[in-house]
């Protein structure tokens, strides 16, 4: 700095860490996931400096490439707020406006994080632009990837037929490309859609096929997710001990990887199962772990899901007002982010809350739901965790 030579070193630094990030990104879906996740976490400050430098210098393509290469790491290690901020900064910079593959990829990365944080309209806008750019560029792999992301957005919104059509179009393209990893991801998405429609045999078959592919290619993150899929289908069928076994296998893999998002989801599933099997204290501990992580991640969809799990626990313990108050908070959050429950999940939640409604009576139940709706989100979270 004193000699005025720092710019050259910063350029070399940024170039090195761009190369590292782009080398690491595909490895995060292979057998060396844990090694690469640890290395990227260790170098996170260097990536932050490189992003700040390239953005400030107006090196739009480099900034977009670096942010895009890190989006999977940010997703998997729970840096959702920071990752979305970086992606949106490089996308909004004048130098990042060129209609390139780097911009399309950054748009999709930002959309994935925005979607999970409840910004559905923002996610849709990003994905539509990404798809348009990729069609202009004639990038079949990119088009298939964006169609998959649009399918997940439609699934979140309860548009099952649209989601299934988008997934099937994406699946056909990935199979033509011989992309086994992406094929497994789409099979998992189709499993989620089948489960949401109550087609449990189809869902289990799809999750099992995804599991076998993920084990074959060494994609441990998605292996754990496929196990979770099988566990959730077993739960819906009432096979609670089988469900617990599947989820415990998944949790062991997620802990090895340091996958906070996965740990949060699986803790929630295991917590609900423990409550259903007559272990409410164990269940509460797991649900608290789930809620604390999803609150930290800023995942609005899973925060709503977590509040509903606490509502079901309260109803099972005879705490009718508490149950309906928490359910009201979850419903208000879902309305604010535009992510309703699937019809299947809504029916199950209503069944679990029926004793609380019947115990209070119609008017008192309506008042309890209304109180929950009026709570601030932070107050509702503290109420859930307060016991």
């Amino acid at each position: 700095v004193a000699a005025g030579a720092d710019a050259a070193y910063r350029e070399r630094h940024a170039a090195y860490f761009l190369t590292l990030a782009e080398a690491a990104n595909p490895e995060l879906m292979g057998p060396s996931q844990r090694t690469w996740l640890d290395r990227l976490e260790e170098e996170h400050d260097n990536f932050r400096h490189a992003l700040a430098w390239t953005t400030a210098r107006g090196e739009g393509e480099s900034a977009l490439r670096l942010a895009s290469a890190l989006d999977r790491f940010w997703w998997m290690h729970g840096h959702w707020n920071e990752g979305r901020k970086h992606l949106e900064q490089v996308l909004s910079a004048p130098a990042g406006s060129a209609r390139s593959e780097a911009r399309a990829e950054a748009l999709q990365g930002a959309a994935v994080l925005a979607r999970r944080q409840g910004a559905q309209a923002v996610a849709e806008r990003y994905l539509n632009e990404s798809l348009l750019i990729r069609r202009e560029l004639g990038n079949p792999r990119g088009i298939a990837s964006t169609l998959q992301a649009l399918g997940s957005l439609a699934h979140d919104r309860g548009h099952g037929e649209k989601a299934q059509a988008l997934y099937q179009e994406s699946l056909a393209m990935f199979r033509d490309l011989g992309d086994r990893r992406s094929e497994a991801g789409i099979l998992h998405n189709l499993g989620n859609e089948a489960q949401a429609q109550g087609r449990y045999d189809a869902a289990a078959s799809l999750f099992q096929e995804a599991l076998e592919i993920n084990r074959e290619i060494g994609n441990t993150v998605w292996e754990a997710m496929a196990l979770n899929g099988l566990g959730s289908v077993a739960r819906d069928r009432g096979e609670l001990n089988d469900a617990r076994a599947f989820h415990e296998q998944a949790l062991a893999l997620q802990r090895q990887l340091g996958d906070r998002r996965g740990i949060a989801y699986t803790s929630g599933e295991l917590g609900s199962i423990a409550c259903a099997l007559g272990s409410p204290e164990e269940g509460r501990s797991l649900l608290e772990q789930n809620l604390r992580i999803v609150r930290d991640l800023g995942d609005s969809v899973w925060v709503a899901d977590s509040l509903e799990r606490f509502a079901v626990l309260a109803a099972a313990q005879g705490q009718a007002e508490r149950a309906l108050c928490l359910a009201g908070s979850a419903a208000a959050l879902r309305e604010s982010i535009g992510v309703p429950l699937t019809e299947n999940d809504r029916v199950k939640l209503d069944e679990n809350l029926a004793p609380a409604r019947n115990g209070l009576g119609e008017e008192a139940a309506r008042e309890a739901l209304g109180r929950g709706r009026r709570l601030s989100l932070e107050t509702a979270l503290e109420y859930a965790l307060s016991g």
Side-chain angles (χ1 to χ4, degrees), residues 171-192:
L171 178 62
M173 295 182 74
F174 279 130
R175 281 178 168 163
D176 286 344
L177 292 164
D179 186 339
R180 297 279 281 163
R181 179 182 66 79
S182 298
E183 178 185 355
I186 297 286
L187 290 169
H188 188 99
N189 294 146
L190 287 166
N192 285 335

Side-chain angles (χ1 to χ4, degrees), residues 152-216:
S152 296
L153 187 62
H155 171 80
D156 283 353
R157 289 172 158 173
H159 303 159
E161 290 185 7
K162 180 179 180 181
Q164 191 151 337
L166 287 162
Y167 288 148
Q168 291 289 1
E169 185 180 357
S170 177
L171 178 62
M173 295 182 74
F174 279 130
R175 281 178 168 163
D176 286 344
L177 292 164
D179 186 339
R180 297 279 281 163
R181 179 182 66 79
S182 298
E183 178 185 355
I186 297 286
L187 290 169
H188 188 99
N189 294 146
L190 287 166
N192 285 335
E193 192 55 50
Q195 184 180 358
Q197 296 170 9
R199 297 185 293 113
Y200 299 133
D201 288 347
S205 177
L206 287 160
F207 288 136
Q208 184 63 40
E209 189 176 355
L211 176 64
E212 290 167 5
I213 294 174
N214 286 316
R215 282 178 170 166
E216 174 191 326

Side-chain angles (χ1 to χ4, degrees), residues 108-297:
Q108 184 164 326
V112 168
L113 294 174
R115 167 192 158 230
R116 292 309 310 184
Q117 293 184 314
Q120 308 296 308
V122 173
E124 184 174 30
R125 176 163 53 84
Y126 287 157
L127 289 173
N128 285 336
E129 184 183 347
S130 177
L131 183 61
L132 189 59
I133 292 172
R134 283 171 159 166
R135 290 196 191 281
E136 291 169 0
L137 296 174
N139 177 359
R141 188 180 302 278
I143 292 167
S145 179
T146 307
L147 288 171
Q148 179 184 13
L150 282 165
S152 296
L153 187 62
H155 171 80
D156 283 353
R157 289 172 158 173
H159 303 159
E161 290 185 7
K162 180 179 180 181
Q164 191 151 337
L166 287 162
Y167 288 148
Q168 291 289 1
E169 185 180 357
S170 177
L171 178 62
M173 295 182 74
F174 279 130
R175 281 178 168 163
D176 286 344
L177 292 164
D179 186 339
R180 297 279 281 163
R181 179 182 66 79
S182 298
E183 178 185 355
I186 297 286
L187 290 169
H188 188 99
N189 294 146
L190 287 166
N192 285 335
E193 192 55 50
Q195 184 180 358
Q197 296 170 9
R199 297 185 293 113
Y200 299 133
D201 288 347
S205 177
L206 287 160
F207 288 136
Q208 184 63 40
E209 189 176 355
L211 176 64
E212 290 167 5
I213 294 174
N214 286 316
R215 282 178 170 166
E216 174 191 326
I217 64 177
N219 187 350
T220 311
V221 169
W222 280 84
E223 177 187 349
M225 291 174 70
L227 287 165
N228 276 331
L230 290 166
S232 62
V233 171
R235 176 206 63 205
D236 285 351
R237 286 169 158 169
E239 301 162 355
L240 297 183
N241 287 315
D242 289 345
R244 180 167 59 185
F246 281 125
H247 289 309
E248 285 175 346
Q249 290 178 62
L251 186 60
L253 294 175
Q254 288 156 347
R255 284 177 171 158
Q256 289 173 18
L257 291 168
D259 179 3
R260 293 182 71 215
R261 173 183 172 275
I263 291 167
Y265 173 79
T266 310
S267 296
E269 288 291 291
L270 285 168
S272 293
I273 290 167
C275 294
L277 288 171
S279 301
E281 291 309 312
E282 177 190 357
R284 169 171 289 282
S285 176
L286 286 160
L287 293 180
E288 287 178 356
Q289 180 178 344
N290 161 268
L291 181 53
R292 291 183 193 281
I293 296 175
V294 298
R295 177 173 65 175
D296 186 46
L297 290 176

Side-chain angles (χ1 to χ4, degrees), residues 49-76:
H49 283 290
L51 265 173
W53 171 254
T54 52
T55 304
R57 294 274 288 183
E59 298 175 9
E61 188 75 4
S62 294
L64 287 167
R65 284 171 56 195
L66 180 54
S68 298
L70 292 171
D71 63 4
R72 187 171 289 149
F73 159 67
W74 286 325
W75 166 265
M76 291 170 67

